[in-house]
Amino acid sequence: MSKKRKVTIKAFRFNAETDYLPYYKNYEMEVSKDELVLDLLNRIKWEHDGSFSYRRSCRHGICGACAIKVNGKSVLACKENAMELLDLFNNELVFEPQSKKRAMKDMIIDKKDFWDKHAEVTPYVVADVDPHPEHETKQSIAEFDSILDADLCIQCGACHYACPALEVNPDYLGPAALNAAFRFTVDTRDNAGTERLELTSQPGVGVWDCVKCFECAEACPKEINPIEKITKLHNMQFEQGVARSNVATRHAEGFVRSIRKHGFLDEADIVVYSEGYLGMYKHLKTAVKMMKAGKIHWQDGVPFIDNMPKIKNLDEVQKLIDISMTNKL
Ligand code: SF4
Ligand code: SF4
Ligand code: FES
């Protein structure tokens, strides 16, 4: 049986200097079982069209340059086996840049927004360092472990360009920058943690704008799980007294309050708690839809009426909440 497979690769083509619109071009080739996506990118350039452009450098999954999308899935081209993707996508591969709207030339995008956000979180250890130290600054194994796996980020941008919150809110720092904020804030040699926590707690910019979709965790080729680091930043903001009372923090508190009271999430109460009675009117249309679907009752949200049932063993849930609670606002 032949170990090669004849395939057609559809590649996104665009030159921002000469093209008004992007287009797709097909390239036919025989792919063998050991070839990586990067090999196929090379073959498009070397065997079909020398003007085809993409970034690559290390070929070992450590420089982050070769990140693209294949059939909408974020991949590091030098890490992904082409045959496995052909199996996954029924023999059809579509190569696209990480972000089509930022395309400069074929797979190459303008990553300015990514680097600007990275720079915003002060992505380095801030410390008063003796210019002539007599010994190195040591860390214990446990201290070093606390920065792993966040430290493994190769700044490929896969999580950043997979994040739907960033698509709708360009001010949001995004998963890669927040991962970097976490990595340096937990570093025991660093002195700028409070500033980073202040920045990442700002509504519209920081952790509260994450919609917890887990796309970043799915996209990350280094299995860093940025959403986990975002959750830890949330906790650190409460623990270190940096979190301020706003819609987002009251929503988090209201969630706990509701579960503590009923063992269930009281959808109407959480809106009233976080946005107040006036704010509640903004959501009337949604409330009517939820009422029709039986998710809330007409009495929900009406002052002094508490018609939510309580679960059995509520005291056990309350104990769990007490154990897991961080500081209050
Ligand atoms: S979990 Fe949060 S940071 Fe990650 S992709 Fe979704 S919205 Fe973005
Ligand atoms: S967290 Fe993962 S996906 Fe995001 S930039 Fe770093 S290595 Fe890439
Ligand atoms: S070429 Fe460096 S990560 Fe792929």
Side-chain angles (χ1 to χ4, degrees):
M1 198 174 81
S2 167
K3 294 204 167 77
K4 291 197 169 190
R5 209 184 285 182
K6 198 168 178 189
V7 297
T8 303
I9 293 162
K10 196 171 159 187
F12 176 95
R13 302 298 311 263
F14 181 62
N15 182 345
E17 287 182 0
T18 54
D19 295 331
Y20 181 59
L21 287 173
Y23 58 98
Y24 287 83
K25 205 160 172 190
N26 289 343
Y27 301 96
E28 287 182 7
M29 60 182 77
E30 283 201 336
V31 176
S32 59
K33 69 174 177 47
D34 295 326
E35 281 182 294
L36 303 167
V37 170
L38 182 59
D39 294 319
L40 306 194
L41 290 169
N42 289 337
R43 287 180 59 194
I44 294 176
K45 187 172 185 72
W46 296 340
E47 296 169 13
H48 294 263
D49 183 348
S51 73
F52 183 65
S53 303
Y54 50 99
R55 288 189 177 113
R56 67 193 159 95
S57 182
C58 70
R59 209 184 189 276
H60 288 289
I62 51 168
C63 76
C66 68
I68 63 164
K69 282 190 176 165
V70 177
N71 298 47
K73 175 179 156 56
S74 303
V75 301
L76 269 188
C78 69
K79 202 175 163 228
E80 207 75 30
N81 179 281
M83 207 58 101
E84 284 172 17
L85 287 179
L86 284 164
D87 286 340
L88 184 66
F89 294 115
N90 215 8
N91 243 16
E92 280 182 12
L93 294 188
V94 182
F95 291 176
E96 288 171 325
Q98 288 180 301
S99 167
K100 285 188 258 184
K101 71 179 179 193
R102 294 172 181 86
M104 292 168 69
K105 191 149 192 299
D106 307 329
M107 301 298 122
I108 297 175
I109 62 164
D110 178 359
K111 278 177 77 173
K112 184 176 184 307
D113 66 315
F114 175 87
W115 293 117
D116 284 350
K117 287 182 173 160
H118 187 62
E120 263 186 75
V121 301
T122 325
Y124 44 84
V125 170
V126 177
D128 289 331
V129 179
D130 181 348
H132 305 291
E134 286 178 9
H135 53 79
E136 65 274 49
T137 308
K138 286 188 179 166
Q139 281 202 301
S140 68
I141 292 174
E143 284 170 340
F144 179 68
D145 278 350
S146 69
I147 63 173
L148 285 176
D149 47 350
D151 193 48
L152 300 177
C153 176
I154 56 172
Q155 277 93 42
C156 69
C159 59
H160 186 87
Y161 295 112
C163 174
L166 256 170
E167 271 309 292
V168 294
N169 174 11
D171 294 331
Y172 176 47
L173 283 165
L178 289 168
N179 175 67
F182 169 81
R183 183 256 173 265
F184 290 100
T185 298
V186 294
D187 193 313
T188 46
R189 299 161 298 182
D190 176 79
N191 296 325
T194 308
E195 288 78 6
R196 281 192 212 92
L197 289 182
E198 296 274 3
L199 172 72
T200 59
S201 70
Q202 282 177 27
V205 174
V207 294
W208 300 105
D209 279 64
C210 166
V211 297
K212 306 194 173 41
C213 64
F214 283 76
E215 288 289 335
C216 51
E218 183 72 23
C220 179
K222 305 303 276 187
E223 293 173 15
I224 286 171
N225 198 350
I227 172 66
E228 185 205 16
K229 314 301 178 291
I230 291 171
T231 309
K232 288 182 176 172
L233 283 171
H234 274 113
N235 289 343
M236 287 159 69
Q237 287 165 9
F238 279 103
E239 282 160 2
Q240 297 183 29
V242 171
R244 304 274 173 265
S245 177
N246 57 43
V247 173
T249 51
R250 285 194 299 275
H251 188 272
E253 284 242 317
F255 197 101
V256 178
R257 175 180 179 263
S258 171
I259 302 289
R260 184 193 288 284
K261 224 159 122 188
H262 308 287
F264 288 110
L265 181 60
D266 185 343
E267 305 266 7
D269 181 69
I270 205 167
V271 174
V272 176
Y273 188 77
S274 47
E275 301 193 43
Y277 285 106
L278 279 179
M280 189 179 79
Y281 288 107
K282 280 194 294 189
H283 303 285
L284 267 183
K285 237 166 125 179
T286 314
V288 171
K289 275 191 198 161
M290 288 175 80
M291 230 178 268
K292 281 186 184 157
K295 287 201 81 181
I296 58 174
H297 189 267
W298 71 268
Q299 289 172 335
D300 293 349
V302 177
F304 314 115
I305 299 181
D306 182 3
N307 66 340
M308 277 294 284
K310 292 186 190 339
I311 59 157
K312 277 192 210 159
N313 306 331
L314 181 61
D315 55 330
E316 283 180 25
V317 171
Q318 289 169 341
K319 269 185 220 153
L320 281 174
I321 291 173
D322 288 338
I323 293 165
S324 61
M325 274 298 272
T326 51
N327 285 12
K328 285 191 175 184
L329 280 173

